[in-house]
Amino acid sequence: ALEAQHWEPTRRFSENRVASLAYALPSSEPALIIGPGGGGDVVSALYMGKRQVIGVEVNPIIAEDVMQGAFKAYSGGLYNRPDVSIVVGDGRAFVHQSEARYASIQATLVDTWAATAAGAFTLSENNLYTREAFADYLNHLADDGVLTMTRWLRPQKEFMRLLVLCRAALDDAGINDHARHLYVAADDRMATFVLKRTPFSDSELDRLDAYINAQSLRAIYSPRLSPANPFAAFIATPGWLAYVDRYGDDISPPTDDRPFFFYTLKPAKLLQALLSPRETSLANLGLVLLVLALFIVGVLVLAFLVLPLFVLRRDVLALHRAEKSRYLAYFMAIGVGFMAVEMSLMQSFVRVLGQPALSLVVVLFALLVAGGIGSFCSRLRPLWPRFTSWRARLWPRLLVVALLPALAGPWSALISTQPLSLRILGVLLLLLPVGFALGAFLPLGIAAAGERLKAVVPWAWGLNGAASVLGSVLAVVLAMNVGFLHTMLVGVVFYALAVLAARSRSAS
């Protein structure tokens, strides 16, 4: 009782009261909290009788230096209690690799809005809020366990998208009647959903109702009643897919291939957003700025490279114009293609490796080191006589790159449950051959052009570099709208176009 009295000031914060909804349901299984931060949810779980709490915090500074260091005494040694276990890592990866089952899996306002003022929030992928993630959460719940998340009520589309993910997860679990599997409560600022694999019993609904009445909350949706609000209307709608299609924003369930939860701009409205940026929400402004950057980079490439070459330096293309143009097209194609492949790989392996920085380091290491080796080996004499010409040597390399989109998904699923060291090794094993193949395209082209068309080589370097900048922006735009896999396929297509340009008789 004395300990509960000590925690009472923490319980006065509204987010603690509304986020604690799931703890009104008794269970002997441990509670899992994703992103416990300063420990507000941990306090609530203990306050309401949980015997074991596991927190997964991605930021080691908060988990170790703050809560178990400078503020250990201030927090009452919260993270050092025997009934509290804190793990430093990615919450999604922890759940996926865990063999345990939990009474509750909770995530409360785990995202920062620091990037919103710059319009960059929409550009960040979030693997916590995907269809596959929600299926993972449900699979790791105890028989009577619940998934609960808390977010702001405004903008409405974000919490609505969470409910869409709930219904998609129920569909994936083979549950057709969604109405008795959800309960939603809110205060004036934020709302919490409680999702259960099995229908809520009358006694469970009694406990939830009693909790919100005691905490001065209001029911947004309950299986017993359907208040007049958009969230309740959506949950009560049998054909939720049609509802999502009619909705003004894109609230379709994000996937691991396209995990941009905060990007809610429908592709059909992109042009309207570009023409009226003031009417575009901050959450989607990042894409507008990205498309504008793509336009600006394209104009700069035309103004400072393409037009000077074809207008001011026509002497460079005076002889063998068609052949030289194909060479230049080749170098531009591999510039765009490399960035499309690289960017999609860096983003898609975040889920496997757990952290964006780690994915960046591993993917860049594999592609650049293997690419350097492939570039060096490209000047060696081939072992097979039929591959003596440079264009013939491109085909097996293109085949290696073309296999990547087909292998990346199954290979990621195979290694995703392994320890981190084995996951890193698995990513390297997949990408090193790809990097080796990609590394040969540029030196083979430069060597071929240098033999007969030396005047075009400086322009080839310049256009390749400019195309790389263009490709990096294009890759992010594509990933947000069509997903990582299709972005990777676009990169493969550009490499195929480069090989076709090299195949022409005049470019041989």
Side-chain angles (χ1 to χ4, degrees):
L2 182 62
E3 195 169 58
Q5 184 179 359
H6 174 72
W7 285 332
E8 191 60 40
T10 304
R11 294 280 304 148
R12 293 173 188 167
F13 292 101
S14 62
E15 54 263 39
N16 287 37
R17 291 185 288 108
V18 71
S20 303
L21 180 62
Y23 299 130
L25 304 175
S27 176
S28 59
E29 304 292 336
L32 176 64
I33 300 173
I34 297 175
D41 289 331
V42 178
V43 167
S44 295
L46 296 174
Y47 181 91
M48 298 186 68
K50 297 306 297 182
R51 296 180 180 178
Q52 184 65 38
V53 179
I54 301 171
V56 185
E57 175 57 52
V58 72
N59 190 338
I61 296 176
I62 293 177
E64 298 170 355
D65 299 340
V66 174
M67 293 301 294
Q68 298 181 62
F71 284 84
K72 178 180 177 180
Y74 181 83
S75 66
L78 181 64
Y79 280 11
N80 298 93
R81 292 171 56 98
D83 49 1
V84 176
S85 301
I86 299 298
V87 179
V88 175
D90 176 74
R92 167 74 186 285
F94 179 88
V95 172
H96 186 68
Q97 295 166 37
S98 175
E99 296 181 358
R101 293 185 177 272
Y102 305 97
S104 59
I105 298 177
Q106 179 184 20
T108 303
L109 302 174
V110 294
D111 312 289
T112 173
W113 283 89
T116 307
F121 206 48
T122 184
L123 306 180
S124 61
E125 64 272 14
N126 194 314
N127 292 292
L128 288 175
Y129 307 126
T130 69
R131 188 166 187 160
E132 294 86 349
F134 271 52
D136 245 357
Y137 301 148
L138 289 186
N139 288 335
H140 284 82
L141 291 176
D143 292 338
D144 59 346
V146 294
L147 170 65
T148 178
M149 291 188 178
T150 302
R151 287 206 64 80
W152 307 108
L153 273 171
R154 297 177 183 83
Q156 175 183 299
K157 57 191 175 184
E158 288 183 9
F159 194 80
M160 186 69 80
R161 200 167 206 180
L162 278 184
L163 296 179
V164 170
L165 281 167
C166 290
R167 300 197 65 177
L170 290 173
D171 274 353
D172 294 341
I175 300 170
N176 298 321
D177 182 15
H178 301 171
R180 288 194 63 86
H181 294 261
L182 273 163
Y183 190 100
V184 185
D187 59 14
D188 293 334
R189 300 187 304 153
M190 60 197 75
T192 296
F193 75 77
V194 181
L195 175 66
K196 197 165 180 282
R197 292 191 62 170
T198 55
F200 283 106
S201 65
D202 288 335
S203 62
E204 289 172 330
L205 293 175
D206 288 340
R207 288 179 175 273
L208 293 172
D209 290 342
Y211 178 82
I212 66 171
N213 290 331
Q215 299 296 329
S216 301
L217 305 175
R218 56 193 172 95
I220 296 292
Y221 173 81
S222 167
R224 288 175 171 170
L225 56 98
S226 184
N229 63 73
F231 305 114
F234 168 69
I235 297 172
T237 301
W240 66 272
L241 288 172
Y243 187 101
V244 169
D245 289 338
R246 293 192 304 267
Y247 202 83
D249 296 293
D250 181 11
I251 58 170
S252 59
T255 63
D256 283 347
D257 185 56
R258 187 171 167 255
F260 297 94
F261 176 81
F262 299 99
Y263 173 50
T264 56
L265 190 65
K266 289 186 174 181
K269 293 186 175 182
L270 180 57
L271 180 60
Q272 178 184 346
L274 290 172
L275 296 176
S276 305
R278 291 185 178 181
E279 299 178 9
T280 304
S281 67
L282 280 175
N284 288 317
L285 185 58
L287 183 73
V288 176
L289 298 177
L290 198 64
V291 173
L292 289 176
L294 183 64
F295 173 76
I296 292 171
V297 172
V299 170
L300 291 176
V301 171
L302 286 173
F304 291 99
L305 285 170
V306 178
L307 289 180
L309 175 62
F310 284 90
V311 177
L312 302 178
R313 291 298 308 273
R314 285 180 292 180
D315 58 302
V316 175
L317 302 176
L319 298 175
H320 310 292
R321 186 182 184 91
E323 184 179 1
K324 291 177 179 177
S325 297
R326 289 189 182 95
Y327 269 117
L328 296 175
Y330 171 87
F331 288 107
M332 290 193 70
I334 63 174
V336 175
F338 181 83
M339 294 309 300
V341 171
E342 180 188 64
M343 297 290 288
S344 59
L345 287 173
M346 284 192 297
Q347 291 177 301
S348 60
F349 280 117
V350 170
R351 180 181 61 85
V352 177
L353 297 175
Q355 296 184 21
L358 185 58
S359 177
L360 174 70
V361 170
V362 173
V363 172
L364 282 182
F365 174 83
L367 295 183
L368 296 183
V369 171
I373 297 173
S375 176
F376 175 80
C377 293
S378 66
R379 68 181 188 175
L380 302 178
R381 186 177 183 84
L383 298 177
W384 298 276
R386 64 181 301 176
F387 291 113
T388 54
S389 70
W390 79 282
R391 64 182 185 183
R393 296 167 70 182
L394 295 176
W395 281 105
R397 290 168 170 82
L398 176 61
L399 178 61
V400 172
V401 180
L403 288 174
L404 181 62
L407 296 176
W411 186 253
S412 298
L414 181 65
I415 66 175
S416 61
T417 57
Q418 301 301 316
L420 179 59
S421 57
L422 292 181
R423 279 179 277 149
I424 293 175
L425 179 61
V427 173
L428 291 176
L429 288 175
L430 176 68
L431 297 188
L432 287 175
V434 176
F436 183 86
L438 293 176
F441 279 85
L442 184 62
L444 285 175
I446 291 292
E451 291 178 1
R452 306 172 42 196
L453 309 168
K454 292 184 178 180
V456 85
V457 171
W459 294 95
W461 278 108
L463 285 172
N464 178 261
S468 297
V469 176
L470 196 67
S472 63
V473 183
L474 177 63
V476 179
V477 175
L478 287 174
M480 294 178 64
N481 287 279
V482 299
F484 301 140
L485 176 61
H486 287 87
T487 303
M488 202 181 304
L489 288 171
V490 168
V492 173
V493 168
F494 271 96
Y495 272 100
L497 292 174
V499 173
L500 290 176
R503 256 190 99 241
S504 64
R505 183 173 299 177
S506 59
S508 61

